[in-house]
Amino acid sequence: GAGVSQSPSNKVTEKGKDVELRCDPISGHTALYWYRQSLGQGLEFLIYFQGNSAPDKSGLPSDRFSAERTGGSVSTLTIQRTQQEDSAVYLCASSLSVTAQPQHFGDGTRLSIL
Amino acid sequence: DAKTTQPPSMDCAEGRAANLPCNHSTISGNEYVYWYRQIHSQGPQYIIHGLKNNETNEMASLIITEDRKSSTLILPHATLRDTAVYYCIVRENYGGSQGNLIFGKGTKLSVKP
């Protein structure tokens, strides 16, 4: 497709379950970013990839969060043993490279932990 | 932390120009000014960016002061669909260690009929 695609668009799960969120960046974009937005809050940066490599994982809020990217394209963000404070909209963005802007965003995955 | 200051909210009449200000007094010489907006339930949408010169595209115009310490985003003929939160962001076009955008609280623009 023409834009960044994220799936699922909505996810409701029980506390303690694992969830996997998917991001399909714009074709040819080597840089990929994950952010999250809690209700009524601004965007919080989580992690970025240049190609398949994530040079800095310090933005991930806890060790329950992990992300990977294979083939320089699709990325998955995994949250293990979900907690209620993980409820948020998880947004993915891509750009041609880390040095090139702008970043183009998907519409996010709305994650609700019961 | 965000390096920009924006008013929390603004109103604009439909069909009129919306002028959204942004202060970035600590901007450095190699930092660009970017504008994004976020319409309810959607991801942020890129609008425009610039370094020193004024810029215009099909969505908006960006006016940057000569000292680069502030800028104004202009939507020339606001419509109801322009109601959104508008974010002003400064960053280098070299990503440095992360390349991420740092979003502040933005300006909630309400376009009224």
Side-chain angles (χ1 to χ4, degrees):
Chain A
V4 176
S5 177
Q6 292 187 247
S7 60
S9 54
N10 286 282
K11 176 72 175 178
V12 181
T13 193
E14 292 179 347
K15 175 182 170 181
K17 300 285 189 184
D18 297 353
V19 295
E20 191 172 277
L21 313 180
R22 176 187 168 106
C23 173
D24 276 279
I26 293 172
S27 178
H29 282 194
T30 62
L32 185 149
Y33 305 82
W34 284 98
Y35 298 81
R36 76 174 175 181
Q37 188 171 31
S38 301
L39 186 63
Q41 302 296 312
L43 277 79
E44 173 191 6
F45 169 71
L46 299 179
I47 191 170
Y48 87 103
F49 290 87
Q50 176 59 46
N52 292 336
S53 172
D56 185 351
K57 301 181 181 179
S58 62
L60 295 176
S62 78
D63 59 8
R64 296 185 295 103
F65 286 70
S66 63
E68 65 175 18
R69 189 181 187 196
T70 55
S73 181
V74 172
S75 176
T76 55
L77 177 69
T78 301
I79 309 173
Q80 296 178 308
R81 304 181 304 282
T82 53
Q83 303 293 313
Q84 287 189 331
E85 62 263 27
D86 299 334
S87 296
V89 176
Y90 289 81
L91 290 154
C92 176
S94 71
S95 62
L96 282 171
S97 73
V98 170
T99 60
Q101 293 286 342
Q103 294 179 19
H104 297 276
F105 286 79
D107 283 335
T109 293
R110 183 175 299 277
L111 177 64
S112 300
I113 310 299
L114 302 179
Chain B
D1 289 343
K3 297 176 67 173
T4 61
T5 304
Q6 299 176 253
S9 64
M10 290 182 64
D11 289 342
C12 178
E14 188 178 19
R16 304 297 293 269
N19 297 282
L20 292 95
C22 180
N23 286 327
H24 31 79
S25 58
T26 61
I27 193 170
S28 62
N30 55 352
E31 286 183 315
Y32 285 68
V33 180
Y34 283 83
W35 283 84
Y36 284 76
R37 72 180 182 183
Q38 189 171 24
I39 296 169
H40 184 60
S41 297
Q42 297 182 19
Q45 177 189 23
Y46 166 77
I47 302 173
I48 198 167
H49 74 283
L51 182 63
K52 289 188 289 189
N53 298 323
N54 298 336
E55 302 287 345
T56 295
N57 63 20
E58 64 279 4
M59 290 182 69
S61 294
L62 174 61
I63 308 298
I64 303 174
T65 57
E66 192 169 340
D67 63 8
R68 302 211 321 123
K69 293 186 177 181
S70 65
S71 60
T72 301
L73 179 75
I74 301 172
L75 308 178
H77 305 287
T79 71
L80 299 179
R81 288 178 295 179
D82 292 322
T83 292
V85 179
Y86 287 76
Y87 296 98
C88 170
I89 300 166
V90 298
R91 59 151 284 163
E92 297 179 17
N93 254 12
Y94 167 64
S97 63
Q98 297 196 123
N100 58 295
L101 296 169
I102 300 175
F103 287 79
K105 296 188 183 299
T107 295
K108 180 170 174 52
L109 176 68
S110 299
V111 181
K112 300 183 183 300

